[in-house]
Amino acid sequence: MNGTLYARRRMTARIFLAFSTAAAVIGLIWLGLILFTLISKGLGGLSPTLFTESTKPPGSAGGVLNAIVGSLIMSSMAVFVGTPIGIMAGTYLAEYGGQSRLTATIRFFNDILLSTPSILIGLFIYEIIVLTMGHFSALAGAAALTVIVIPVVVRTTDNMLLLVPHALREAGIALGAPISTIIRSVTWRAARAGIVTGVLLAVARISGETAPLLFTAFGNQFWSTNIVAPMASLPQVIYNYANSAYEDWHQLAWASALLITVAVLTLSIVARLLEPKRH
Amino acid sequence: MAGLALENDEIAKRAAMMQRFGRGEARFRILCLASALLVVAIFLGVVFALVEGAWPAIKAFGLPFLWTEKWNPVTEKFGGLAAIYGTLVTSLVAMLIAVPMGIGIAVFLTEICPNALKRPISIAIELLAGIPSIIYGIWGLFILAPFLQTTVQPWLIETFADVPVFSTLFEGPPYGIGMFTASLILSIMILPFISSVTRDVFETVPPMLKEAAYGLGCTTWEVVWNVVLPYTRSGVVGGAMLALGRALGETMAVTFVIGNAHRISASLLAPGTTISASIANEFAEALGDLYVPALIELGLILFLITFLVLAAAQLMLRRLEKSGGQR
């Protein structure tokens, strides 16, 4: 009797371990499959014209230069506006906020905003900017991306500042330095690597965002750097081209997908390398 | 006398400097506070914008919007049931696949994996989380959907043809695109969230507890089931809820593969739609007085659902943090 019970327990454990290992293997297979498809389908579409030509009608050799530039313009606007706001807000939470109710409330709303579906951010910007201006614009697209950047930066700045040892702040206070000086020249400096990580993660996140741009920046077939006019972006070109019926547009979509993935994965790996070890 | 005057002078200078410091101090503090309050303002702005945008539809259709399936842009009769149903069902099926797999991966990483492989494997799994959703969309449309259509779906239809309940779930022609494919893509996307949160909370289990159980002769399964999971329950549930929040609102990947049909089918293989996919597909082309407000009302409903799920997740994770601090 004992023998069979033991055998059954060992059997359960073996099945469980086999399942866990299989789960990890399947996870890795998904990653491998996606990367393999991107490389095999995307490499064929990589050509000089991809970077030198704007999007063209199907049939003529075109590129995605306007979309690359559009993505760069809107993402950098979002990062330039969103980063300082996010760092200041994170600083308030970690340095001034303490244990107060207000701090807990702001953290709560920030965490919700961090995971709010990005398409709803798009609707929000559509309501307050696109309807006010009367037309789609790169400005609205950048605003939508900014709203996505801010909570990411707030969250990492807050976390990273909380990791800075208190003794550093106390040393500053003992020298008679005002709190704001301590923050700027001691705690920010100590947490710099972590804060940079947060910004990089935010950049990685927005460079693949499509949903919030659909009805804010709207997309543009032509070369445009006018920020009050509709603007093309790389993810949106993928969306439009993949849904089209033309083989050469599919090819461009795959090549663009490869570009974005390489950019995003490089950013996340760099961010991970910079990230300070916990404890 | 001269010495004293000098001292007074010094004191005055010092006082002026302190005042300057004080002013900069207040300015910096206010700037930080304003930025922090801006976060709350954005959140309230989203709520307000959605309610305002949806108002005409709320007034026109009232509460029945929630349980009306009909979605007819021509006659301007709108009901959100099909999209709400699609959102909930795809996310639920995705969770059914991803939660056991995510926990399995966490167990693999904490209990089975050799130390040298731990870091590379967890980084690889987390890279899955970094891939933008548009990439999952294009991959799902061109690779996964045709593959499912020719192999997995015919097999499912045939195998479950005589099994009650399942025969309804896997019924009809294999389209490739549809609710099932959308769920599968979603499960791949949320897998890394579940596995990384679960692994993190598994690592908070004191080794002594596990060692005591192993010392009693427990198998790995018994240790995980009786020691690790009860200890980390709220963390695992919190992580799963975060992933659910993401699945509910996921847009681009789903839009590509769901088929965008505003109807409710018992079969998982049939095309359907979700709230976010409807908005992404139809918003830019929506005409008429009620079409756009109806789409925004769907958005408002999605916002409320994800808010509830995410708030619950926050509470669970906070509770774990607190109890973890006390132990």
Side-chain angles (χ1 to χ4, degrees), chain B residues 59-291:
Chain B
K59 258 197 329 208
F61 306 118
L63 269 183
F65 186 82
L66 294 175
W67 55 80
T68 310
E69 189 187 338
K70 180 173 281 175
W71 183 268
N72 192 337
V74 182
T75 59
E76 298 225 307
K77 294 272 176 283
F78 296 103
L81 187 64
I84 298 169
Y85 171 85
T87 305
L88 296 178
V89 169
T90 48
S91 300
L92 188 76
V93 175
M95 294 294 284
L96 286 179
I97 303 172
V99 168
M101 275 189 68
I103 295 179
I105 292 177
V107 171
F108 176 82
L109 287 172
T110 51
E111 305 289 328
I112 307 172
C113 186
N115 266 329
L117 286 177
K118 259 184 200 172
R119 233 179 112 69
I121 292 182
S122 44
I123 289 179
I125 302 263
E126 274 162 41
L127 282 187
L128 270 178
I131 296 176
S133 65
I134 182 93
I135 308 295
Y136 283 98
I138 182 173
W139 185 75
L141 178 67
F142 287 116
I143 310 292
L144 187 65
F147 171 76
L148 292 177
Q149 184 175 22
T150 51
T151 55
V152 178
Q153 293 186 348
W155 178 81
L156 282 173
I157 295 168
E158 226 167 86
T159 317
F160 292 108
D162 301 323
V163 188
V165 182
F166 282 95
S167 64
T168 326
L169 283 180
F170 302 117
E171 194 182 41
Y175 290 108
I177 56 175
M179 311 259 281
F180 177 73
T181 312
S183 307
L184 196 57
I185 285 272
L186 281 178
S187 77
I188 302 173
M189 297 184 69
I190 59 178
L191 185 60
F193 285 85
I194 299 176
S195 66
S196 72
V197 174
T198 311
R199 188 206 51 205
D200 286 351
V201 295
F202 275 10
E203 271 169 3
T204 64
V205 179
M208 262 186 306
L209 283 184
K210 285 200 284 185
E211 281 156 17
Y214 279 122
L216 286 171
C218 286
T219 61
T220 317
W221 158 251
E222 286 159 351
V223 171
V224 170
W225 187 250
N226 298 313
V227 178
V228 176
L229 277 177
Y231 189 89
T232 55
R233 193 166 28 204
S234 66
V236 173
V237 175
M241 303 277 262
L242 274 186
L244 177 61
R246 191 176 153 105
L248 288 166
E250 180 46 54
T251 309
M252 296 325 290
V254 173
T255 307
F256 271 108
V257 296
I258 189 121
N260 202 38
H262 277 276
R263 61 166 180 266
I264 296 173
S265 317
S267 171
L268 285 178
L269 303 184
T273 193
T274 67
I275 291 176
S276 50
S278 310
I279 300 174
N281 259 321
E282 300 168 36
F283 196 86
E285 282 131 36
L287 296 168
D289 297 334
L290 287 175
Y291 201 173

Side-chain angles (χ1 to χ4, degrees), chain A residues 62-147:
Chain A
V64 291
L65 178 66
N66 55 340
I68 296 176
V69 172
S71 277
L72 287 178
I73 291 176
M74 288 190 283
S75 302
S76 19
M77 281 166 71
V79 170
F80 278 121
V81 178
T83 305
I85 297 176
I87 290 180
M88 298 300 266
T91 304
Y92 179 82
L93 294 179
E95 301 287 335
Y96 291 112
Q99 303 282 328
S100 76
R101 254 218 142 89
L102 179 67
T103 317
T105 314
I106 295 173
R107 275 203 186 112
F108 175 78
F109 280 126
N110 189 66
D111 282 352
I112 300 275
L113 212 51
L114 189 66
S115 319
T116 295
S118 57
I119 190 147
L120 298 182
I121 307 290
L123 282 182
F124 165 58
I125 298 296
Y126 174 84
E127 285 282 316
I128 65 165
I129 296 186
V130 178
L131 285 186
T132 315
M133 288 176 71
H135 55 87
F136 301 109
S137 66
L139 203 62
L145 296 180
T146 309
V147 174

